[in-house]
Amino acid sequence: MSMDMAPNRKLDRKDVNRFLRQKGLVALADKSNAAHLQCFALTPDVVFDIGVDSGTPFLYQAFPEAHFVLIDPRAESEKTLSTPDAPAKASFHQLALGAEAGEMTLNIPYSDKGEQGAMASLRQRQGYLADKIEWVETRQVAVDRLDSIAAAYPGRVGLKVDTEGFEDEVLAGAPETLARCDFVILEMSLTQRFDTTTPPSQIIARLAAAGLEFRDVLRMTGDGRGGPAPRLMDILFTRWAADAPAPLNHA
């Protein structure tokens, strides 16, 4: 029986999976929730939420005892601290992060639905979603290195980076912070979403060099047009076990 023929029938997991396979599809869980993150037994003292927009509630819920440092170049994001989902202990820095301190142009797109703050980027957007942008507001924003900010926050670190194509530059300015990171959650582009898009292997290699390994895909987003190719992933990196085998010497 097809699922379309039984609208009042309680869905069975096996039936759902069978139906999806017939369509060439597979169901993927959205793991962006506090309970899933807590399964990794992470205990950061401070968590940096870089690229705040309207906040990351599941992250705040996962680590209620941690101090959260919210960093975003848009002043509007500071309102996150006054929402019901705000972390109990938090501070806000209005600036962008990059490999070097300075000043850059932030591009804030507007669609027919208004300002799209979640899509604000230091890059120029391209591709399918760029065609939906009606105009772009530009702002000159201060840029600093994460290491400069993080020096004021001691302890073990958690890191979330969602900076719309600028993630690798954020990491490049944070070698000292990465050395005390227990986890990184990072939005990784899998298509050429911007005029300059860092290859996934470069980001993975940078984090591996800091001792952080690819552990899980928390969320995957399609191409925006119903196609099968993924556009981006939110990936969790954590420390590997201390007794893991040493890498083979291929020299």
Side-chain angles (χ1 to χ4, degrees):
M1 178 183 293
S2 74
M3 294 180 67
D4 295 333
M5 295 173 60
N8 297 319
R9 178 184 173 186
K10 184 177 180 180
L11 294 180
D12 179 85
R13 182 173 181 175
K14 291 182 179 179
D15 288 340
V16 171
N17 288 334
R18 186 180 302 113
F19 175 80
L20 291 174
R21 284 196 300 271
Q22 291 171 351
K23 300 293 184 180
L25 302 172
V26 63
L28 294 176
D30 185 341
K31 301 176 184 178
S32 299
N33 61 76
H36 182 73
L37 201 52
Q38 288 169 342
C39 290
F40 291 86
L42 303 164
T43 56
D45 300 297
V46 57
V47 179
F48 293 89
D49 185 353
I50 302 167
V52 178
D53 187 35
S54 57
T56 315
F58 86 91
L59 191 64
Y60 312 151
Q61 295 161 9
F63 308 111
E65 301 302 318
H67 182 91
F68 281 85
V69 182
L70 280 58
I71 303 176
D72 198 289
R74 296 173 62 250
E76 295 90 328
S77 292
E78 189 171 8
K79 294 187 295 185
T80 299
L81 296 180
S82 59
T83 65
D85 294 323
K89 297 177 286 186
S91 51
F92 179 81
H93 294 261
Q94 185 191 337
L95 77 165
L97 295 178
E100 300 293 342
E103 189 174 88
M104 294 187 71
T105 300
L106 181 69
N107 303 293
I108 306 172
Y110 284 72
S111 69
D112 57 357
K113 296 180 175 62
E115 180 182 348
Q116 302 299 307
M119 296 172 66
S121 177
L122 296 171
R123 299 292 192 203
Q124 296 287 337
R125 190 175 296 274
Q126 62 183 25
Y128 171 70
L129 290 181
D131 297 335
K132 295 181 175 294
I133 296 172
E134 296 191 346
W135 68 283
V136 177
E137 175 191 353
T138 59
R139 300 180 190 176
Q140 292 302 113
V141 297
V143 181
D144 205 345
R145 302 173 76 249
L146 177 56
D147 278 349
S148 300
I149 304 299
Y153 299 94
R156 301 304 301 172
V157 169
L159 187 59
K160 185 226 89 177
V161 189
D162 180 355
T163 49
E164 295 296 296
F166 215 67
E167 288 79 11
D168 193 49
E169 286 74 9
V170 172
L171 300 179
E176 296 174 8
T177 307
L178 289 176
R180 56 190 178 102
C181 254
D182 288 334
F183 74 89
V184 174
I185 296 172
L186 180 138
E187 182 181 90
M188 182 178 294
S189 295
L190 303 179
T191 61
Q192 299 287 334
R193 301 168 60 211
F194 305 95
D195 55 346
T196 301
T197 303
T198 304
S201 58
Q202 181 171 318
I203 295 175
I204 293 170
R206 186 188 297 280
L207 289 171
L212 293 152
E213 296 290 344
F214 189 129
R215 295 298 305 281
D216 204 351
V217 176
L218 301 184
R219 184 179 67 94
M220 183 187 300
T221 300
D223 63 4
R225 292 176 286 187
R231 184 166 52 92
L232 59 86
M233 293 179 177
D234 289 344
I235 299 176
L236 172 67
F237 297 80
T238 75
R239 295 282 164 193
W240 203 245
D243 59 353
L248 296 175
N249 185 355
H250 295 287

